[in-house]
Amino acid sequence: MENLVRVDLGCGHTKAEGYLGIDRYFFPGVDIVADLNKGIPLEDNSVDIMLCSHSLEHFDNIHLIMEEIYRVCKHKSLIYVLAPYHMETVNLSNFYHKQVFNESSFRFFTSDSATSIDKRDYYNPHAFNWGLGLSDNSQLSINIHTVSMEFFYFPDYIDLSEEEKRNARRSLQNVCDQICYILAVNKSGVPFTSDDTVEFKKIANENEPDIIYQVRKREINHDMGTSILSDIKKWDEKLEEKIDSEIKEVKNRLVELEKKSLFLERKINQMDEIFNSERMDNIKEMEAMKAILHETLLKNNSIASSVLELTKNKEAAVFKTGSQKMFRKEHDLYDVLVSNHLSFLDGVTVQNKYFKKNSILTISNTIPYSGYVEYSLFGVGNKINYFLFSHLGANLFLELVQDGNIVQQMSFSVGHEGMHTWVLEREINGEALLRFRVLDNYSIVRLLEINNRKLVLLSKRSLAAFVTRI
């Protein structure tokens, strides 16, 4: 695209090639020197592309500078923003940074409820819709549409899946150090369509400033330090070694007990032979001896069974000591449930989009009385199928939410353990939220979950459920 007016706002020493450079200081390459905290010295609707590379975080008033950017940009102009990601220790401690940038920063410069950004990147229980420009009960004078967001990660997180990266960003520091936004100016009064967004992405890719490409292709020093993920791997290796050693010791003990059982069985057989011999004069005495040996054998077999059970438990769980407690392995219930609940398992594996090749089925934590647990649910239909582990008579409350609105609520007393269904008054179509809460302190209820990782810290748990039509 030729003859476009491109502006590098706050360009400093490194003005982008082909851009008009504006800064508060006169550096080589700066075309206009101005106090940008007081405004941008350009005419209305005069700019086609605006670049803000590590400059917006230094402004005194982010709302004022965004109004100025909106004023000088044309309708459908593109804005590239490269900024420090807030949850990184250097960025947190930098007192030169006056503004914060994360997944929700530009939600406050639009009132449009819809967006092409993945809802999982900005989900908040009390802010379902994208646009938050009217959250202060004021009249928003500008409308800036977020086309895309891109994150630049530390080495330990680069190769994770998008879901794992998203969980890490929401929970940890020093996951990524920079964030890039592609924004589009909307002066029409009508929200952009999905076709508009596709076109914006195409134009943005064709005109991407070199600084963004350089950050994306930067050489990451993998020796620059490690994160908690590296520690988890080390802990996991040590725990595996300890578990293997304990299991080996228990199995050796089991072999010894089995040998003793065989010895006692042989003794009983010998006593049977003696009992049947004519040389025994006191039959009652022999009966008493057999009873003692039988009792000893039963006790020994009980010990052997306990050791077998201990072996199974140690293979299924990590020792819960210190910080290692939160990195236990989960036991897969699929083989346990398949004999009596095959139709339910078929529904989960075929219709639940969160069930993957390496997924396992586990029991959830106890549903709380003081709050609720919430799961994402996806499907089309008016009947929800799920699985409960509970004592009879437990009092349970369910709530279904879609698009930020409560669709239906239900409370009931649990009459059986296993598969349950909830028939809805109307169909749901797409993604919804299903919430559970017990209604008293005496009800103990757990759910069947899908777990897509074996380590608890970054595990992704989903409800083992599916939606059908009656």
Side-chain angles (χ1 to χ4, degrees):
M1 298 178 68
E2 301 296 333
N3 302 320
L4 294 179
V5 177
R6 307 167 192 258
V7 173
D8 188 344
L9 190 67
C11 61
H13 297 273
T14 56
K15 184 184 75 171
E17 183 178 354
Y19 281 71
L20 177 71
I22 305 178
D23 200 274
R24 58 179 174 170
Y25 299 118
F26 183 76
F27 295 117
V30 174
D31 300 295
I32 299 175
V33 177
D35 184 356
L36 296 175
N37 280 315
K38 297 180 180 179
I40 302 175
L42 296 175
E43 295 180 358
D44 295 357
N45 302 310
S46 60
V47 177
D48 295 290
I49 294 178
M50 178 77 73
L51 170 63
C52 305
S53 176
H54 286 277
S55 59
L56 292 186
E57 65 267 24
H58 298 286
F59 282 93
D60 295 337
N61 187 328
I62 187 65
H63 190 269
L64 174 62
I65 193 61
M66 291 308 299
E67 285 184 333
E68 280 293 284
I69 291 173
Y70 183 83
R71 178 183 64 80
V72 302
C73 283
K74 301 175 183 177
H75 176 55
K76 290 191 175 182
S77 293
L78 290 182
I79 306 169
Y80 297 88
V81 177
L82 187 62
Y85 188 71
H86 181 58
M87 291 300 290
E88 193 266 342
T89 49
V90 171
N91 296 333
L92 284 170
S93 61
N94 191 339
F95 53 81
Y96 293 111
H97 291 176
K98 302 175 183 179
Q99 309 299 333
V100 170
F101 293 93
N102 57 28
E103 292 84 345
S104 294
S105 295
F106 286 99
R107 296 174 68 184
F108 293 92
F109 295 100
T110 181
S111 58
D112 294 344
S113 60
T115 179
S116 61
I117 305 299
D118 192 321
K119 184 176 293 186
R120 293 171 295 179
D121 281 328
Y122 66 88
Y123 170 75
N124 188 291
H126 66 270
F128 285 98
N129 295 328
W130 169 256
L132 301 177
L134 303 179
S135 60
D136 190 38
N137 297 318
S138 59
Q139 293 298 319
L140 186 65
S141 60
I142 64 176
N143 189 1
I144 297 180
H145 175 75
T146 301
V147 177
S148 66
M149 294 188 294
E150 183 177 359
F151 305 88
F152 302 102
Y153 290 91
F154 279 77
D156 270 354
Y157 301 91
I158 290 176
D159 297 326
L160 296 182
S161 69
E162 289 304 312
E163 184 69 15
E164 291 167 334
K165 288 178 180 178
R166 186 178 294 114
N167 290 338
R169 291 201 314 269
R170 295 175 72 94
S171 306
L172 306 172
Q173 289 185 345
N174 296 328
V175 175
C176 55
D177 66 322
Q178 297 181 67
I179 183 171
C180 179
Y181 310 86
I182 306 298
L183 310 174
V185 172
N186 188 349
K187 296 187 176 183
S188 68
V190 179
F192 287 135
T193 65
S194 58
D195 290 339
D196 291 328
T197 300
V198 171
E199 182 65 19
F200 288 143
K201 289 181 179 180
K202 178 182 176 182
I203 297 173
N205 185 60
E206 294 172 350
N207 294 274
E208 181 179 80
D210 185 64
I211 180 62
I212 298 175
Y213 174 82
Q214 294 300 328
V215 174
R216 187 182 299 117
K217 300 299 181 182
R218 64 184 175 176
E219 180 179 353
I220 297 293
N221 181 3
H222 287 266
D223 296 324
M224 63 188 289
T226 56
S227 70
I228 192 171
L229 290 186
S230 300
D231 295 332
I232 291 173
K233 293 175 183 177
K234 294 177 183 177
W235 294 337
D236 193 43
E237 291 172 358
K238 292 180 180 179
L239 288 171
E240 290 289 345
E241 293 176 1
K242 188 174 182 180
I243 291 171
D244 291 341
S245 175
E246 292 288 340
I247 291 174
K248 183 177 180 180
E249 181 181 343
V250 172
K251 287 182 176 179
N252 290 338
R253 178 61 177 158
L254 179 61
V255 171
E256 294 177 4
L257 290 171
E258 289 175 344
K259 290 179 179 179
K260 290 183 179 180
S261 294
L262 291 174
F263 173 76
L264 289 172
E265 287 177 358
R266 287 196 296 268
K267 282 293 185 181
I268 290 175
N269 291 333
Q270 292 174 5
M271 294 305 297
D272 283 336
E273 293 175 2
I274 297 172
F275 181 77
N276 294 324
S277 173
E278 294 180 357
R279 291 175 292 176
M280 285 297 298
D281 297 328
N282 194 337
I283 295 178
K284 290 184 178 180
E285 181 179 354
M286 194 63 203
E287 290 274 0
M289 293 177 66
K290 283 187 66 178
I292 292 173
L293 286 174
H294 272 293
E295 182 178 359
T296 304
L297 176 61
L298 291 173
K299 290 182 178 179
N300 197 66
N301 284 338
S302 177
I303 295 173
S305 298
S306 298
V307 174
L308 277 170
E309 185 64 22
L310 178 59
T311 303
K312 294 178 181 177
N313 290 338
K314 284 185 175 291
E315 289 175 334
V318 172
F319 295 96
K320 300 178 180 178
T321 57
S323 62
Q324 299 170 354
K325 181 177 180 181
M326 58 192 228
F327 306 113
R328 66 181 183 277
K329 289 189 173 180
E330 300 287 356
H331 182 61
D332 193 353
L333 297 179
Y334 187 93
D335 291 336
V336 177
L337 299 174
V338 71
S339 59
N340 295 322
H341 302 282
L342 181 58
S343 62
F344 177 80
L345 294 182
D346 286 344
V348 171
T349 57
V350 173
Q351 299 186 51
N352 192 312
K353 74 172 186 177
Y354 301 109
F355 192 94
K356 309 297 181 183
K357 179 179 179 181
N358 298 321
S359 297
I360 63 174
L361 296 177
T362 60
I363 300 177
S364 72
N365 293 328
T366 302
I367 296 177
Y369 169 60
S370 57
Y372 60 81
V373 291
E374 180 180 274
Y375 295 93
S376 290
L377 188 66
F378 190 92
V380 179
N382 60 345
K383 184 170 77 170
I384 300 174
N385 305 269
Y386 57 101
F387 202 99
L388 286 182
F389 301 91
S390 170
H391 64 83
L392 301 185
N395 295 311
L396 188 62
F397 172 81
L398 278 68
E399 183 177 83
L400 183 66
V401 178
Q402 189 171 41
D403 297 327
N405 300 312
I406 296 175
V407 177
Q408 193 169 330
Q409 296 175 328
M410 177 182 71
S411 59
F412 67 99
S413 180
V414 177
H416 68 277
E417 186 177 64
M419 178 178 171
H420 283 249
T421 60
W422 183 12
V423 178
L424 305 176
E425 296 174 358
R426 64 178 179 85
E427 284 194 353
I428 60 172
N429 187 343
E431 188 170 8
L433 298 175
L434 186 56
R435 296 169 175 168
F436 295 84
R437 178 167 62 89
V438 296
L439 298 177
D440 54 64
N441 282 323
Y442 309 104
S443 294
I444 300 177
V445 181
R446 294 180 174 87
L447 299 163
L448 186 64
E449 291 182 336
I450 299 170
N451 191 345
N452 286 326
R453 281 187 68 88
K454 292 183 178 180
L455 294 180
V456 171
L457 177 65
L458 293 178
S459 66
K460 173 60 179 177
R461 293 173 175 268
S462 306
L463 183 65
F466 58 97
V467 180
T468 58
R469 286 191 172 102
I470 296 179

